[in-house]
Amino acid sequence: MKSTRVFQLTTLALVLVSVVQVGWWLFDQRSYARESVAAARTAYAEQTAAAQALLDAGTAPERVQALLPKILVSGGRAALAPAVDAALANEEAGRQRQYAWEGSFFLVALGLCIAVIARALRAEQRVLEEQDSFLALVSHQFKTPLASLQLSLETLALRTPPPERARVLTDRMLADLARMELMVTQILESARLERGRAHFRPEALQLAAAVSRVVAQLEERARSARVAITSSIDPQLHVMSDPLALDVVVRNVLENALAALAPVGSGSVAISARALGSEVELEVRDSGVGFAAADGARLFEKFTRLHPGGSNYYGTGLGLFIVRRLMELAHGRVSAESEGQGRGARFVLAWPASQGQRP
Amino acid sequence: MSAGGPRILVVEDDPHLAAGVIENLRAEGYEVSAAADGEQALASLPGTSCALVVLDVMLPGIDGFAVCRTLREQGNNTPVLFLTARGDPADRVRGLESGGDDYLAKPFHLQELLLRVRAIIRRRDWYHSVSDTAATAVLAFGGNEVDFRAFRARSWNGESQELTEKEAMILKVLAEHGGEIVSREDLLEKVWGYDVFPSTRTVDNFILRLRKRFERDPADPKHFLTVWGVGYRFLKDGGS
């Protein structure tokens, strides 16, 4: 990254030097052309004067004309032939035009070079800034569970609590560790997506199977959180997606639904799907805390967390961001709506239907 | 002081961290209440006599700095201890500028948190104990009158002044030692606790503010005198 930058800056400096050089060359050539024509005119003026002197000295006009063919001799007067005069004027104008064109061409070409380099530099700067803010946010996200972990450990050390209190603290620490592990996974996932380097290999996938696999993984947690997950998906529905991406997307949306239900204490998540034109739509409806309409757009941005304290869930703020990026890669879409805080939410994911799908 | 000891409000959106802080403060004998975001904190504070607010900076909705600024604008002088994941100096300064009293970067040591909480409450208790009689609540000097309990003053030209808690505390420390030299370090320790501010220059700035409020000619102070290289001396009756 650094050596590219040095290369770009050096090139930029060279191009700028070239601009100055071309400018100077242009100026020099144009004044040289002017001076050359002026010198030619002076020479012709001398010839005219010489012809006039010869005429005045009584030399026969025919003789003078033969000696100095460029000078027009008539009626005892010598003058520069109009054709020669016009040719000189033409020559000067022609050269000025030529240099103006060539010079402008070079300047435009160099200007384009500068624009291209400046653009590259700016783009690079933006990437650097984004990485900076990404790092700042990531480290911030890490510090909270880290602080919680440290606090629990120091509480254990300082207060030697009874076994049941120690148990609570230990559970808390394990949850903090699990949260940090989830963060590392999601940060790596999102970093890969950021650079667009996710190897996305779409294939026809049975939606019902993918969903039930994820639901099975989350069932235990849902039960202990007193959340009922129901799913009714036609086994005929197939979507075009990368299998891993489909898994991640469904998992993240369901995790989000569980998070939204945690503050409520219990509730339900209903999953359904339908074919819609050339797409297959998956709907995840929860009876959780919902969100204000104004927050709907922010949901899928990086590090947006709308479930504040009181919940027992710890989001990284990356889950739904990853969903959005993966859905973009799958040429699908994702949207969320809620009738307001405390009124549940509805997430809709849509993938291109697989070609071989039967209606 | 109620049976549960001084009241502390903990504003932290992370449930684990909040629980850990609250349990430890309770174990130390404080009476603790909790808020999960800025709105909740601002809604719960008026009308209660809190000794301290432990305030997370990165909160959902309005952030901790804004909460603190709003409190100060409402004339609420409850001390604020910021907890934040961002520990860089620029952020520290922002926290203190928004009216905070102390600043602790995550992850922090439990002992340090407890120590700082204790120090802030001690400073506040000291201030209240030296301002709670009719004789000590009001200070009159050079035509100025300062009400330490209301954080209000009327200056010699009749202008009414709202004092910040820090200004009032500095004035109180100086007045307590009327006529004696008080070093910058002593002022720092009494008013802020040691390691909050990077330098004793802060004290100088506060003295400048006090002079602007209460001196007839701030360039030629009669009450807030500089003792070069040492600190300050407060003269009630004026001098030079």
Side-chain angles (χ1 to χ4, degrees):
Chain A
M1 185 69 96
K2 202 171 159 78
S3 63
T4 332
R5 203 172 171 75
V6 170
F7 173 74
Q8 284 167 332
L9 286 173
T10 313
T11 316
L12 189 64
L14 284 175
V15 172
L16 285 171
V17 168
S18 305
V19 168
V20 174
Q21 192 73 45
V22 168
W24 169 248
W25 171 82
L26 202 61
F27 173 76
D28 192 49
Q29 287 298 310
R30 293 189 68 162
S31 32
Y32 177 70
R34 237 191 328 269
E35 277 163 22
S36 304
V37 172
R41 282 189 190 282
T42 312
Y44 283 131
E46 279 164 6
Q47 283 191 22
T48 312
Q52 192 62 53
L54 286 172
L55 286 175
D56 292 348
T59 314
E62 296 77 24
R63 180 106 180 92
V64 173
Q65 187 67 79
L67 268 172
L68 301 160
K70 297 276 168 69
I71 306 301
L72 195 65
V73 178
S74 76
R77 311 286 323 153
L80 188 59
V84 175
D85 187 50
L88 274 177
N90 235 339
E91 172 77 10
E92 188 179 350
R95 287 202 174 259
Q96 297 289 354
R97 252 199 318 278
Q98 182 194 342
Y99 295 136
W101 276 107
E102 283 177 10
S104 330
F105 172 76
F106 280 127
L107 286 178
V108 165
L110 290 171
L112 281 175
C113 281
I114 292 175
V116 167
I117 297 171
R119 227 184 114 136
L121 282 171
R122 255 205 315 277
E124 208 165 285
Q125 189 62 34
R126 213 170 30 240
V127 169
L128 281 176
E129 276 162 17
E130 274 171 14
Q131 275 176 349
D132 267 2
S133 67
F134 181 79
L135 272 179
L137 281 165
V138 162
S139 55
H140 171 262
Q141 297 295 106
F142 261 104
K143 277 181 174 176
T144 302
L146 201 60
S148 173
L149 194 60
Q150 182 169 344
L151 187 58
S152 301
L153 270 169
E154 289 188 351
T155 306
L156 277 175
L158 181 74
R159 306 202 187 274
T160 46
E164 64 274 18
R165 283 288 308 142
R167 180 78 212 153
V168 171
L169 287 171
T170 315
D171 284 348
R172 205 179 277 169
M173 289 191 285
L174 287 172
D176 285 331
L177 275 175
R179 175 158 51 142
M180 297 209 299
E181 197 200 330
L182 177 67
M183 266 183 203
V184 174
T185 312
Q186 293 197 331
I187 285 164
L188 289 176
E189 261 170 22
S190 79
R192 266 210 312 275
L193 290 172
E194 285 283 88
R195 289 174 208 159
R197 279 206 274 117
H199 295 293
F200 202 86
R201 293 194 192 85
E203 55 186 88
L205 299 166
Q206 194 196 22
L207 188 58
V211 171
S212 63
R213 230 184 354 258
V214 178
V215 169
Q217 287 166 14
L218 293 173
E219 219 150 40
E220 180 64 38
R221 248 178 62 199
R223 224 191 338 270
S224 65
R226 281 177 295 147
V227 172
I229 304 181
T230 55
S231 165
S232 101
I233 299 173
D234 183 348
Q236 303 288 354
L237 293 174
H238 284 69
V239 299
M240 286 305 287
S241 173
D242 178 279
L244 196 65
L246 181 62
D247 199 70
V248 169
V249 161
V250 174
R251 176 164 45 86
N252 284 4
V253 169
L254 288 181
E255 292 249 15
N256 184 71
L258 288 180
L261 278 157
V264 182
S266 67
S268 64
V269 178
I271 309 168
S272 60
R274 59 176 178 156
L276 196 77
S278 60
E279 287 183 330
V280 171
E281 250 189 26
L282 180 76
E283 184 192 85
V284 178
R285 205 184 266 274
D286 69 68
S287 60
V289 286
F291 51 86
D295 289 327
R298 280 177 51 225
L299 266 182
F300 298 98
E301 281 168 24
K302 208 188 283 173
F303 296 119
T304 299
R305 287 192 305 155
L306 297 180
H307 307 302
S311 87
N312 288 311
Y313 175 80
Y314 308 96
T316 55
L318 287 169
L320 290 179
F321 164 75
I322 292 171
V323 168
R324 195 195 69 199
R325 286 289 290 132
L326 286 175
M327 289 309 286
E328 282 168 7
L329 286 174
H331 302 292
R333 59 193 162 79
V334 57
S335 60
E337 55 190 65
S338 169
E339 282 172 19
Q341 276 174 340
R343 304 175 73 172
R346 178 175 166 262
F347 281 76
V348 174
L349 301 156
W351 294 265
S354 107
Q355 295 295 320
Q357 183 182 305
R358 277 170 292 165
Chain B
M1 217 179 270
S2 70
R7 262 175 55 87
I8 298 177
L9 174 67
V10 175
V11 191
E12 165 65 64
D13 66 323
D14 184 85
H16 276 186
L17 198 56
V21 170
I22 291 167
E23 287 157 9
N24 275 291
L25 290 176
R26 285 202 179 125
E28 294 294 306
Y30 300 107
E31 195 184 306
V32 189
S33 51
D37 58 44
E39 278 102 4
Q40 223 177 313
L42 285 173
S44 70
L45 266 169
T48 59
S49 60
C50 242
L52 171 67
V53 181
V54 177
L55 184 56
D56 184 25
V57 174
M58 291 276 267
L59 289 168
I62 42 177
D63 72 13
F65 293 142
V67 170
C68 187
R69 257 196 312 277
T70 311
L71 278 183
R72 298 299 180 246
E73 278 161 20
Q74 290 171 351
N76 188 328
N77 276 311
T78 310
V80 167
L81 166 62
F82 280 117
L83 288 185
T84 175
R86 297 182 297 194
D88 52 294
D91 236 44
R92 270 177 111 84
V93 169
R94 252 190 91 198
L96 297 166
E97 273 174 358
S98 68
D101 292 75
D102 206 341
Y103 196 101
L104 206 51
K106 291 180 194 173
F108 50 84
H109 289 288
L110 173 59
Q111 301 272 32
E112 194 178 356
L113 171 74
L114 297 177
L115 216 67
R116 291 198 185 213
V117 166
R118 219 172 294 145
I120 293 176
I121 289 182
R122 203 181 48 232
R123 286 196 293 274
R124 182 175 170 276
D125 284 349
W126 164 83
Y127 180 82
H128 283 285
S129 72
V130 294
S131 317
D132 69 349
T133 64
T136 53
V138 176
L139 172 71
F141 65 98
N144 303 289
E145 206 172 279
V146 179
D147 181 344
F148 285 110
R149 278 186 291 200
F151 295 97
R152 272 213 190 91
R154 197 175 38 75
S155 50
W156 54 273
N157 53 8
E159 248 176 63
S160 92
Q161 310 261 2
E162 293 266 352
L163 293 182
T164 67
E165 193 199 34
K166 295 292 173 225
E167 288 171 340
M169 281 177 98
I170 287 183
L171 190 48
K172 192 77 211 178
V173 175
L174 288 171
E176 285 280 294
H177 297 84
E180 295 167 28
I181 298 171
V182 183
S183 73
R184 288 182 177 80
E185 288 74 19
D186 279 351
L187 276 170
L188 260 188
E189 205 218 335
K190 265 251 155 48
V191 177
W192 282 276
Y194 260 123
D195 48 340
V196 178
F197 276 94
S199 83
T200 48
R201 292 272 311 155
T202 315
V203 176
D204 301 343
N205 289 332
F206 271 88
I207 297 288
L208 288 180
R209 272 155 66 172
L210 286 174
R211 280 182 184 150
K212 218 178 267 171
R213 286 183 190 276
F214 300 117
E215 294 280 5
R216 277 162 211 265
D217 178 7
D220 179 24
K222 302 286 182 211
H223 301 285
F224 300 92
L225 306 182
T226 305
V227 182
W228 291 110
V230 187
Y232 294 96
R233 185 154 53 149
F234 175 72
L235 291 179
K236 204 174 157 186
D237 301 320
S240 55

